[in-house]
Amino acid sequence: MNKIKYILIILAITALNSFGKEIIVNPGESIKSAVQLSVKGDRVIVKEGLYKEAEILIDKPIELIGEGYPTIDGFSKGEIIIIRSDSVTVKGFYVNNSGFSGMRDYAAIRIEDSKHCNILSNKLINNYFGIYLAGCDSCNVMYNEAASNAVTESSSGNGIHLWKCSYILVKNNTLTGHRDGIYFEFATFSRAENNSSFNNVRYGLHFMFSHNDEYVNNVFANNGAGVAVMYTKNVKMYNNRFEFNNGANSYGLLLKEITDSYIENNNFTGNTVGIYSEGGTRLLIAGNEFNSNGYALKMLGNCTDDTVRGNNFSSNTFDVTTNSSRNSNLFMGNYWDKYKGYDLDKNGTGDVPYRPVSLFSKIVEETPEAVFLLRSFVADLLDMAERVVPVFTPESLIDETPKMNRVIN
Amino acid sequence: MTTLKILKYVLYDVLRSKMIIIYTLLLFAISFGIIYTGKDVSKAVISLLNIVLLVVPLVSIIFGTIHFYNSKEFMEMLLAMPVKRKNIFWAEYAGLSAALAAGFVLGTGLPLLLYGGAKGSFYLLLSGVFLTFIFTALAFLASVINKDKAKGIGISLVVWFYMSVIFDALVLVLYFVFSSYPLEKATIIVSALNPVDLARILILLKLDVSALMGYTGATLQQFFGSAFGILFSMGFLFLWVLMPTLLALSVFNRKNF
């Protein structure tokens, strides 16, 4: 009988081990040593309190769980949590005060060359970089809040930074006071969803060379320079809000060398420039709301084969401007609140085409100071004359089927 | 005291002509129509902006000129009495401009107020009042230097046309000619030379903030958006009231009726 008992106990222990055991860390104890003691599959539970630790290295698949939001304070020394293993979960911490360096990108939570990691529900206060993923695959970054106090671009880091990653889900995060709220660099097949990025020094969202990504339901507001997407193909941007990005070099959405992408059902409100497109090719800009922007859509001459369809343009100072006298993009079925045509057959589409580029906007484009004459009688007169006989504005930049009423998307 | 007594008769005279009442009702009808038929309030304010910048100066200057010539006999009668010329002039000016300003504020302000005050409406009203005072002063100046009524009205019309259209066209030509030079500071100086432009910019700063925040309008926005800039534009608008009035007064004092 005794033998059987022993066998049962051994079996039970091995079973526990294989499911992972729980290691509790109380205030005054070290998270670092608890992590070192743990083995694959363990769960390290950290109780509420303050832990002054940095460089906590997680190199095996464990779960690091905070109970009642314990605070890990890095005291401005280097990085705080470093993950170099697949299948690690970090959840429920305050991670504060990472180091700052001009040489290295110190982050509150850094994940390197790992797969299937989850960074969930953490609050990252006053860090250089918030969450930094390098060379990762199939990770989830969700429900985190990163707030820092960036002042200049050169002395601040990004909220969530992806470098050479793919299949990353960035969802329901709040990012503020960083350089860029979210930065995707060489991040492919990734998705940013329901994030809120505001009051960052540079861009709310910034991506470069990040193909095949999706951006859905995000809010980007009051950022120094709005949102910038560059050198990327096959991007989908749906249902995002771009708001109140004001300033000399500020754009709701800046597109540079973007090809084969979809910008649909977004809302651009109160930006100096709603969309600024330089070298945008084969873009579909459809179903967006442009409201109270200085310039709703600035498309430079090197934008080709773009389709602007079914958008609502209302209360913008200028609807569309361009620096070229030619046009190789298609405008159709948009609602323009400045449209003065009529609809005799009552089919909802105006019978007279609409030219969204006004002569005065062209003058301002060439002689910036002329903005002084905005809404003067002379400017209105020039616009009226140009509408009748277009000479200076691109003749083919024309909406043949302007809508009489707001398009409902 | 004498000024106030004369002022009473001037106001009585202005109201009796019913022009001012028609003016008020017309403004009210237009403003009401624009605000309540339009879908967008900020668009309504922009439409009202054009009225303030074109109609208010035109009515003020034309009505001011006509009024001055029509009151000539009344003034001559007063001049025969022991009344200082200064008092007569101020009473005429204050009476007419105050009546016109009140008409404007009622006609345009009431619909705006009923709507609940759209963005920029305060500056719209303020600019309108300033323009009323300025163009009434210009009207007096035009009439005081001319004995002939037709000529006076002609000069008034030219002044209005210059301020509303020609000046801006000239500025545009200036921009084209000197487009390779930095013109930001010049723009600020140029704006001070025309009260209509000053008024327009004051209102625009509230309406087209986003556009003016851009690279092109940043200087304007920074200057006119600052407390100093508002003081600057108010100061120059005030100067635009004061200068023609004082000039007209000095001519009036020496005028041989």
Side-chain angles (χ1 to χ4, degrees):
Chain A
M1 280 306 284
N2 260 349
K3 254 186 185 170
I4 296 166
K5 251 185 194 168
Y6 278 122
I7 289 165
L8 273 177
I9 288 168
I10 287 162
L11 267 177
I13 288 168
T14 38
L16 264 178
N17 257 339
S18 63
F19 283 118
K21 62 179 186 297
E22 285 192 354
I23 301 172
I24 310 282
V25 184
N26 286 304
E29 296 168 8
S30 161
I31 300 174
K32 206 185 272 183
S33 48
V35 168
Q36 272 166 7
L37 277 174
S38 68
V39 293
K40 180 183 173 185
D42 281 358
R43 170 180 285 202
V44 178
I45 295 176
V46 181
K47 296 288 184 185
E48 191 179 347
L50 176 64
Y51 301 84
K52 299 177 183 175
E53 290 183 63
E55 310 280 344
I56 301 169
L57 176 67
I58 303 175
D59 53 2
K60 52 212 150 195
I62 59 166
E63 288 180 26
L64 186 63
I65 310 288
E67 267 187 14
Y69 277 104
T71 303
I72 309 178
D73 194 325
F75 274 86
S76 310
K77 287 192 196 84
E79 307 204 285
I80 301 171
I81 298 175
I82 304 155
I83 298 167
R84 284 200 195 113
S85 160
D86 295 349
S87 311
V88 173
T89 299
V90 175
K91 183 179 174 187
F93 287 94
Y94 267 106
V95 187
N96 301 349
N97 304 323
S98 77
F100 165 82
S101 160
M103 302 289 288
R104 286 202 51 201
D105 293 341
Y106 288 129
I109 300 176
R110 170 187 287 273
I111 313 171
E112 283 178 347
D113 306 315
S114 306
K115 289 176 185 168
H116 307 290
C117 288
N118 296 307
I119 308 297
L120 311 170
S121 309
N122 298 292
K123 295 180 181 177
L124 314 160
I125 315 288
N126 194 24
N127 300 294
Y128 184 39
F129 279 71
I131 300 170
Y132 196 121
L133 287 84
C136 293
D137 195 335
S138 310
C139 293
N140 296 322
V141 179
M142 300 201 284
Y143 297 101
N144 298 289
E145 288 171 28
S148 194
N149 44 13
V151 183
T152 60
E153 283 183 20
S154 53
S155 66
S156 55
N158 306 325
I160 294 175
H161 189 107
L162 269 60
W163 163 260
K164 280 195 175 167
C165 296
S166 46
Y167 300 102
I168 308 291
L169 176 63
V170 178
K171 193 173 168 184
N172 291 36
N173 300 288
T174 304
L175 309 146
T176 182
H178 279 277
R179 181 172 60 196
D180 295 341
I182 304 172
Y183 189 3
F184 283 17
E185 204 171 359
F186 304 103
T188 53
F189 299 101
S190 295
R191 186 177 166 92
E193 193 179 333
N194 285 339
N195 299 292
S196 170
S197 181
F198 55 93
N199 292 338
N200 296 296
V201 177
R202 196 169 64 183
Y203 301 121
L205 167 72
H206 185 187
F207 62 87
M208 291 243 195
F209 313 107
S210 294
H211 310 307
N212 307 309
D213 291 343
E214 282 179 29
Y215 305 84
V216 185
N217 288 332
N218 301 290
V219 179
F220 306 105
N222 294 312
N223 296 299
V227 168
V229 299
M230 303 184 183
Y231 310 106
T232 295
K233 58 193 178 203
N234 199 11
V235 178
K236 295 186 173 72
M237 309 189 80
Y238 301 141
N239 297 321
N240 300 291
R241 299 182 69 85
F242 301 84
E243 294 173 333
F244 310 113
N245 299 294
N246 278 316
N249 279 315
S250 193
Y251 311 94
L253 177 58
L254 180 145
L255 306 168
K256 189 168 169 60
E257 307 297 332
I258 303 292
T259 47
D260 299 299
S261 294
Y262 303 85
I263 298 160
E264 293 180 55
N265 300 329
N266 300 289
N267 189 314
F268 298 86
T269 301
N271 304 291
T272 296
V273 181
I275 297 182
Y276 177 92
S277 179
E278 202 180 312
T281 311
R282 294 188 294 277
L283 304 179
L284 175 64
I285 299 174
N288 300 292
E289 288 282 338
F290 293 90
N291 194 3
S292 306
N293 301 289
Y295 303 76
L297 192 52
K298 252 191 185 182
M299 289 181 110
L300 301 197
N302 54 359
C303 294
T304 50
D305 302 313
D306 298 339
T307 306
V308 180
R309 191 179 69 201
N311 301 287
N312 289 319
F313 291 84
S314 49
S315 300
N316 303 298
T317 304
F318 301 113
D319 286 335
V320 177
T321 62
T322 179
N323 63 347
S324 165
S325 55
R326 290 205 184 85
N327 170 51
S328 39
N329 304 301
L330 177 67
F331 289 79
M332 58 184 279
N334 299 289
Y335 167 75
W336 314 89
D337 70 338
K338 295 182 185 68
Y339 180 57
K340 291 190 175 71
Y342 46 82
D343 178 23
L344 288 181
D345 51 4
K346 298 282 173 203
N347 63 353
T349 301
D351 300 343
V352 190
Y354 178 71
R355 298 179 182 281
V357 179
S358 69
L359 176 57
F360 184 61
S361 73
K362 186 101 180 138
I363 292 171
V364 170
E365 195 77 36
E366 275 162 29
T367 318
E369 291 85 1
V371 77
F372 167 67
L373 295 172
L374 178 64
R375 298 207 190 289
S376 68
F377 186 62
V378 168
D380 292 349
L381 217 60
L382 286 172
D383 280 349
M384 256 186 277
E386 178 75 10
R387 288 261 153 80
V388 181
V389 191
V391 180
F392 302 100
T393 53
E395 227 205 306
S396 61
L397 206 164
I398 190 167
D399 190 335
E400 297 277 3
T401 51
K403 293 289 171 207
M404 295 306 289
N405 290 303
R406 196 166 270 284
V407 184
I408 294 155
N409 298 306
Chain B
M1 275 317 285
T2 32
T3 315
L4 282 179
K5 259 182 204 161
I6 304 168
L7 182 67
K8 203 173 74 183
Y9 286 104
V10 172
L11 276 175
Y12 181 68
D13 187 38
V14 169
L15 287 176
R16 205 183 43 178
S17 78
K18 295 199 179 65
M19 258 295 286
I20 206 92
I21 294 160
I22 295 169
Y23 175 56
T24 310
L25 288 178
L26 192 77
L27 280 180
F28 187 83
I30 295 173
S31 312
F32 200 82
I34 286 174
I35 293 172
Y36 283 86
T37 54
K39 294 167 197 156
D40 197 336
V41 202
S42 60
K43 259 191 96 179
V45 177
I46 287 166
S47 307
L48 286 177
L49 170 81
N50 285 322
I51 292 179
V52 171
L53 296 183
L54 286 175
V55 176
V56 168
L58 181 64
V59 170
S60 300
I61 203 163
I62 295 298
F63 190 61
T65 319
I66 294 172
H67 172 87
F68 191 90
Y69 285 109
N70 287 352
S71 329
K72 210 168 170 193
E73 283 163 12
F74 175 62
M75 281 190 268
E76 279 169 2
M77 189 267 290
L78 282 177
L79 286 170
M81 315 241 174
V83 181
K84 280 185 186 155
R85 285 192 167 204
K86 199 171 73 178
N87 292 341
I88 302 172
F89 180 85
W90 283 120
E92 284 286 347
Y93 177 68
L96 183 65
S97 48
L100 280 167
F104 164 73
V105 170
L106 273 178
T108 314
L110 214 58
L112 279 170
L113 200 71
L114 285 174
Y115 202 91
K119 197 166 66 174
S121 21
F122 171 72
Y123 277 99
L124 190 83
L125 293 179
L126 188 74
S127 309
V129 170
F130 262 120
L131 289 177
T132 307
F133 277 92
I134 290 165
F135 279 84
T136 314
L138 288 170
F140 273 40
L141 185 59
S143 4
V144 90
I145 55 173
N146 262 305
K147 274 203 166 154
D148 184 18
K149 188 176 174 180
K151 213 172 164 190
I153 293 176
I155 290 174
S156 293
L157 268 176
V158 168
V159 168
W160 171 80
F161 194 65
Y162 171 76
M163 296 283 197
S164 304
V165 185
I166 297 174
F167 184 88
D168 288 346
L170 287 177
V171 170
L172 196 60
V173 171
L174 199 83
Y175 281 142
F176 285 144
V177 175
F178 295 101
S179 61
S180 44
Y181 296 87
L183 291 167
E184 285 93 350
K185 283 190 183 123
T187 298
I188 291 166
I189 296 164
V190 160
S191 73
L193 300 178
N194 185 350
V196 179
D197 282 342
L198 269 179
R200 185 165 47 77
I201 288 191
L202 262 184
I203 305 167
L204 277 193
L205 282 174
K206 298 283 167 233
L207 289 182
D208 290 275
V209 192
S210 302
L212 291 175
M213 290 279 275
Y215 163 71
T216 51
T219 344
L220 277 183
Q221 208 273 337
Q222 268 165 22
F223 181 78
F224 286 105
S226 68
F228 175 75
I230 291 172
L231 223 65
F232 172 91
S233 32
M234 292 289 165
F236 266 94
L237 282 173
F238 196 68
L239 219 63
W240 266 104
V241 180
L242 218 59
M243 277 200 320
T245 326
L246 291 179
L247 210 62
L249 176 64
S250 76
V251 177
F252 185 81
N253 275 336
R254 283 178 278 108
K255 192 177 164 74
N256 192 7
F257 278 90

